[in-house]
Amino acid sequence: MNENLKIGVVCYPTYGGSGVIATELGIALAKKGHEVHFISYDQPFRLDIFSENIHYHEVLVPDYPLFEYAPYELNLTSKLVDVAIHEKLNLLHVHYAIPHASAAVNAQQILLSYGIKIPIVTTLHGTDITLLGKDKSFKPVIEYAINKSDAITVVSESLKKDTLKNFNITKEINTISNFIDIDIYKNNYDVNLKKTFVKNDEYLLTHISNFRKVKRVCDVVKIFKRVNSKIPSKLLMIGDGPDRIRAENLARDLGIEDKIRFLGKINITHKILACSDIFVLPSESESFGLVALEAMASKNAIVSTNIGGISELNIDKTTGFLSKVGDIEKMTNDIILLLKKPVLLEKFKLNAYERASKFDLQEILPMYLNIYYELCKA
Ligand code: GMT
């Protein structure tokens, strides 16, 4: 079976890796001729192209005074049933366990009552397993939804281990790494853009995240303070979230607020990363670290922690350096070492690019398609 499929994709539309992977995968599938239907409560933030093969169905949650908490999962389930019937979907690919996999499993049962059989692929991304998975109030639902999915994929070997450790999984788990479209990261260097961030003799460090607690954004600021006292440099903080204010206040307290720019949820990260030398990711939990892969594809050396899936991506002493969570001293020293040795920095940047090219979309897309075709022929 090699015909074009009609695929329903459920993801979070917000600034974050799981939404990026879902969107980029959907766009790539549409380019190959498949019909892709995104289903979410808002337009996914990277879904900014028009294609006749791409459709977007918004889930609306009516505001009834009776509900203290709006039951989004039920509205999503109804939307999945509706789209599956009217668009004649062949399969559902849901990203993130709750509520997406759980809504899909429910929708699957409802569709069976109409005589429609539709397989579900669930991709686990990280916090659904490493944070929510440890919360007893979610555990039975997550475990059930994963086990009832027809195929399960995870984005790293580390996440596979965590999933098997936290849940009683009765199905095979397929590891399919996060990916980038390497072509998007070619020829983005713009000297004029770079000049807006740094002077000629200054290096540029970058951090991108959703500024949640697990990202340890204040570590980035503390590391930069130490680096900047030794080497002319600037720091870009991209993204937004709960800890942004703490990071901004810390920068003021440390007297380096004029050396750091907080750019918010900017969409041209590939252009900005092309101006950057080192990407800093001090997370305390990271199932893969898609932003690090994007930075590597943009020829950044990576100074990161060694937790979760990051060490499957960032090769210590080759594409960057790995440290224990919270080891600000070591991360600082690693950055200073690289910035003091421009030849070594250049080598690391090229190594990072070479490594990133192994995670190109063209390598990963067939893995998802194999799973889709396998399920659809069953
Ligand atoms: O990092 C986040 O908090 C966002 C989160 C998400 O669900 O969007 O990212 C997770 O999925 C990404 C894509 O698979 C991974 O690259 C991130 O490592 C993972 N985040 C965590 O595990 C904390």
Side-chain angles (χ1 to χ4, degrees), residues 109-140:
Q109 289 306 306
I110 297 169
L111 285 162
L112 271 180
S113 74
Y114 291 87
I116 297 169
K117 208 171 155 221
I118 185 163
I120 301 166
V121 180
T122 293
T123 294
L124 305 171
H125 281 275
T127 41
D128 41 359
I129 299 304
T130 53
L131 292 182
L132 300 177
K134 288 185 182 141
D135 186 331
K136 284 198 170 56
S137 65
F138 287 121
K139 198 175 169 189

Side-chain angles (χ1 to χ4, degrees), residues 185-197:
Y185 295 87
K186 287 179 180 152
N187 307 319
N188 288 319
Y189 181 69
D190 176 347
V191 70
N192 291 323
L193 180 64
K194 183 157 185 172
K195 276 186 194 155
T196 64
F197 301 130

